[in-house]
Amino acid sequence: MRYEYSKEKTKLTAIKRNKLSAPVKYYLETFSPSNERILDYGCGKGDDVNYLIKEGFETYGYDPLFSEFQKFPTYVYRFDIVFMTYVICTIPDSLERLDAIIGAWGFVRNNGELIITVRTYNEINNEASKANWMGHPHIGYITSRGTFQKGFLKEDLLEYIKRIPNIKEYQIVEKDFLMCILKKGGAI
């Protein structure tokens, strides 16, 4: 069976959830941010955005694939926290992944954080094996729905991090997902 990737089908990776995503929940419980302006970059259907608003955070969503999240007020241009949850896992081209990261980084204020979360190499490879996805473990897979999925190793994330300007510090958290927390420093 041959699956074909279609960029238009990327929006199928945005699943509807009735609860906060595990990475955002982990971040909130672990780092307890308060009074922060938040952007969910690649927010999909906006489930995390809606939850964060209900929790009292000034929160905006951006996703080029969903019309309701393609714009936010022009006076809002820098954020304390920018979440990028499972976004780069769905982008087949490594340069487009880097462009997406740099795009999100541009919205982070000085001393703010970009939180990039990806699915792990082992998780994606196990799922691909069970579902007979087409592809290669180090490059990524085309799913039966025609979407793209790539799992990441810590080293994969480090390759992107070293290309991002003005990083003050970073940490990588390894859970059921990989989370990279980048703090912005220096001139903007």
Side-chain angles (χ1 to χ4, degrees):
M1 179 177 296
R2 179 177 162 83
Y3 303 128
E4 291 188 27
Y5 169 72
S6 167
K7 195 169 191 169
E8 293 75 37
K9 290 184 179 181
T10 300
K11 71 186 325 183
L12 295 175
T13 62
I15 58 171
K16 182 74 178 148
R17 283 181 277 102
N18 295 322
K19 59 183 180 178
L20 192 60
S21 68
V24 174
K25 181 179 182 197
Y26 169 82
Y27 181 87
L28 294 177
E29 290 175 351
T30 304
F31 300 102
S32 304
S34 60
N35 299 319
E36 308 288 356
R37 179 181 288 167
I38 297 173
L39 173 64
D40 187 350
Y41 191 94
C43 66
K45 297 179 180 179
D47 295 331
D48 285 346
V49 173
N50 294 328
Y51 178 87
L52 291 165
I53 289 170
K54 286 178 188 168
E55 290 298 308
F57 291 98
E58 181 184 353
T59 307
Y60 301 86
Y62 171 74
D63 197 306
L65 300 174
F66 292 87
S67 60
E68 63 269 34
F69 294 111
Q70 289 178 354
K71 295 181 181 179
F72 43 82
T74 55
Y75 65 86
V76 180
Y77 59 94
R78 293 281 190 256
F79 296 85
D80 302 298
I81 298 170
V82 176
F83 288 107
M84 206 177 183
T85 307
Y86 303 133
V87 172
I88 65 171
C89 299
T90 66
I91 302 173
D93 183 82
S94 62
L95 291 177
E96 287 182 27
R97 280 185 219 124
L98 182 59
D99 284 347
I101 293 168
I102 298 291
W105 186 240
F107 287 107
V108 179
R109 71 161 178 79
N110 201 26
N111 289 313
E113 294 180 331
L114 172 61
I115 295 86
I116 303 168
T117 306
V118 295
R119 296 178 69 190
T120 66
Y121 177 85
N122 287 338
E123 177 194 8
I124 291 290
N125 290 337
N126 289 340
E127 192 170 339
S129 178
K130 290 177 190 171
N132 294 315
W133 291 349
M134 303 285 292
H136 187 276
H138 295 290
I139 297 168
Y141 295 95
I142 306 301
T143 70
S144 56
R145 297 187 317 171
T147 62
F148 178 82
Q149 289 289 322
K150 176 178 173 38
F152 287 78
L153 298 167
K154 183 176 178 180
E155 295 76 28
D156 297 329
L157 282 178
L158 291 171
E159 284 298 314
Y160 289 102
I161 291 167
K162 69 183 184 183
R163 291 174 170 79
I164 301 171
N166 300 324
I167 294 176
K168 186 175 189 176
E169 60 190 33
Y170 73 90
Q171 65 176 306
I172 295 180
V173 176
E174 297 183 64
K175 304 293 278 175
D176 294 337
F177 47 80
L178 284 177
M179 175 182 283
C180 181
I181 304 168
L182 306 168
K183 184 176 271 300
K184 192 173 218 173
I188 296 182

